[in-house]
Amino acid sequence: MGSVKIGIVGLGRLGKRHAQNLRYKVVGSDLTAACSIVPEELAWAEKELGISETYTDYDEMLAKADLDAVFLVTSSSMHSAQSIKALEKGLHVFTEKPMGVNLEECRNVEAVVSRHNKQVFFVGFVRRFDPSYAYAKKLIDDGVIGEPFLVRSQTVDLDEYAEFQVDFVPSSGGIFLDCNVHDIDLARWYLGSEVKTVYSKGGSYVHKAFDEVDDADNTVVLATFEDGKMAVIAASRTAFHGHDTHTEITGSKGILKIGITPAKSRVEILDGHGARQECVKDFYERFQEGFLNEAQEFIDCIIEERRPIVSALDGTKATEVGFAMTDSFKQKKEIVLG
Ligand code: NAI
């Protein structure tokens, strides 16, 4: 295969970034079509990316465009149905996380993926493709910290409260699914075991509006795994300093810390405020290399007929655990999975 003809679907906050990577940076990618329900976003794709084949209707794009693959960056509640339609059309599929917003959606996708196992299906667990997170996995596999038994991982966003965040809760699945799917995926990946129990706590400490939709602005979860290992997973929407996602893995012979100080660069400023480092502002600034690497890996898997390191099962498991975390928070008790 020469280059991979791609149709991108969704050109919002993240879709535009993926589209720029696929158009200008990813080797072997030929971004030929774009789809969005927002006409201004399609105008942006024509002007900024030179894409003339644009659609406001996904089904029409699938019917008319000459594509090898779709790249789904739509709202979370669209991912499963759009993945299934593209797979059934014989296309390779990249879908942003989460793979589905409930377990039934995820299992439906898994079943279709297993019937179309010659096509590449890729869930966007971007942190696995960040150089530091990937290197930590290699160190664990090489036995550098012995047997890992505890993961502490957090997803913390700068406080940019806007009412739409509250409106977004029903379609995104809430803070546990929206923010912590990555941490769940990492904990499973690093510990090599499945989550057995979760106990969530949290509240709306800064923005009471999240209470009204049964969600929270700060949360913490204690998870135990089938083999007795542990994870502590936290999320926040109210950081003052910036985007502060980091992870620590403790093993029988050592500890790995990934990005504990969310520094924008290696420059330290010593001035009238003291000695300090500037902080990354948002998830894209922190993980831009990961977003590029995962898109490149998707294309390489298609061209080289390889399977990605993220599977549909990983997508299901992250959603299943995210739901259990949400249930635990709402029911105020420990939830035992499966
Ligand atoms: P957004 O709301 O800014 O954009 C959504 C896009 O989907 C818009 O372009 C909209 O036109 C399009 N869309 C919605 N329904 C559609 C339909 N039926 N047909 C065609 N297009 C449709 O959302 P944002 O922030 O860009 O997030 C998109 C997805 O990316 C979400 O699922 C989110 O969970 C995920 N995401 C992943 C991150 C990561 O770290 N991997 C970070 C941020 C978002």
Side-chain angles (χ1 to χ4, degrees):
M1 177 184 265
S3 53
V4 179
K5 294 189 287 290
I6 302 175
I8 191 160
V9 191
L11 290 167
R13 189 173 60 136
L14 183 56
K16 285 196 179 74
R17 306 291 200 154
H18 275 308
Q20 284 165 323
N21 283 343
L22 291 166
R23 175 72 180 84
Y24 296 119
K25 294 188 179 163
V26 176
V27 180
S29 145
D30 182 9
L31 187 61
T32 57
C35 173
S36 166
I37 50 174
V38 180
E40 294 77 32
E41 293 177 356
L42 296 175
W44 173 88
E46 282 192 61
K47 184 163 177 281
E48 301 295 326
L49 310 177
I51 296 172
S52 52
E53 193 173 349
T54 60
Y55 298 88
T56 50
D57 184 79
Y58 179 66
D59 293 341
E60 193 188 340
M61 184 181 91
L62 288 187
K64 291 189 181 161
D66 175 23
L67 298 174
D68 300 310
V70 291
F71 211 93
L72 304 174
V73 203
T74 45
S75 318
S76 300
S77 55
M78 303 283 139
H79 296 172
S80 64
Q82 291 179 335
S83 294
I84 288 171
K85 281 183 179 172
L87 286 164
E88 285 175 342
K89 212 46 208 155
L91 302 178
H92 305 285
V93 173
F94 174 100
T95 175
E96 255 311 331
K97 64 81 192 164
M99 189 171 91
V101 291
N102 59 51
L103 211 45
E104 192 189 351
E105 282 190 2
C106 291
R107 294 212 167 115
N108 290 342
V109 175
E110 259 194 83
V112 178
V113 168
S114 69
R115 287 204 299 277
H116 292 264
N117 57 13
K118 296 250 164 12
Q119 291 152 241
V120 173
F121 179 77
F122 200 112
V123 187
F125 285 128
V126 63
R127 288 186 204 167
R128 293 198 192 198
F129 299 92
D130 170 79
S132 300
Y133 278 89
Y135 185 52
K137 171 67 172 160
K138 181 182 177 311
L139 293 174
I140 291 169
D141 291 348
D142 289 349
V144 171
I145 61 164
E147 187 63 26
F149 59 83
L150 169 63
V151 167
R152 293 198 295 171
S153 192
Q154 69 173 41
T155 298
V156 166
D157 282 327
L158 180 69
D159 191 341
E160 293 182 300
Y161 176 76
E163 274 170 21
F164 80 82
Q165 288 181 309
V166 177
D167 300 339
F168 189 59
V169 166
S171 66
S172 71
I175 189 166
F176 298 100
L177 272 166
D178 197 32
C179 297
N180 286 142
V181 275
H182 292 294
D183 305 285
I184 298 163
D185 181 61
L186 289 175
R188 292 180 57 247
W189 194 43
Y190 288 144
L191 296 178
S193 182
E194 297 300 346
V195 175
K196 186 70 193 159
T197 68
V198 290
Y199 197 4
S200 312
K201 292 280 181 185
S204 299
Y205 297 92
V206 181
H207 302 297
K208 297 292 167 211
F210 287 107
D211 274 344
E212 286 156 29
V213 285
D214 222 358
D215 203 34
D217 59 18
N218 280 271
T219 56
V220 65
V221 180
L222 173 62
T224 59
F225 287 70
E226 282 171 356
D227 58 2
K229 293 172 180 172
M230 302 173 285
V232 178
I233 293 176
S236 172
R237 306 180 192 272
T238 64
F240 261 100
H241 55 295
H243 180 78
D244 187 359
T245 283
H246 63 241
T247 300
E248 182 182 296
I249 308 127
T250 303
S252 54
K253 291 188 180 151
I255 295 175
L256 301 175
K257 292 176 183 250
I258 308 162
I260 299 292
T261 302
K264 189 185 179 74
S265 72
R266 294 185 185 178
V267 177
E268 291 174 28
I269 305 171
L270 287 79
D271 61 7
H273 300 286
R276 60 198 167 85
Q277 282 182 289
E278 290 171 310
C279 186
V280 292
K281 184 169 182 289
D282 58 27
F283 71 90
Y284 196 80
E285 190 179 2
R286 170 63 186 85
F287 289 107
Q288 52 189 321
E289 222 176 332
F291 282 109
L292 181 57
N293 291 345
E294 71 175 354
Q296 186 64 63
E297 179 63 6
F298 175 57
I299 298 298
D300 290 349
C301 284
I302 295 171
I303 293 174
E304 295 163 17
E305 297 179 14
R306 282 194 282 114
R307 280 186 187 281
I309 59 164
V310 280
S311 66
L313 179 69
D314 294 320
T316 302
K317 286 290 178 186
T319 295
E320 182 181 22
V321 177
F323 255 88
M325 284 157 64
T326 310
D327 285 347
S328 171
F329 170 67
K330 289 181 179 175
Q331 296 173 27
K332 297 184 171 44
K333 62 174 195 184
E334 183 178 68
I335 299 286
V336 181
L337 282 93

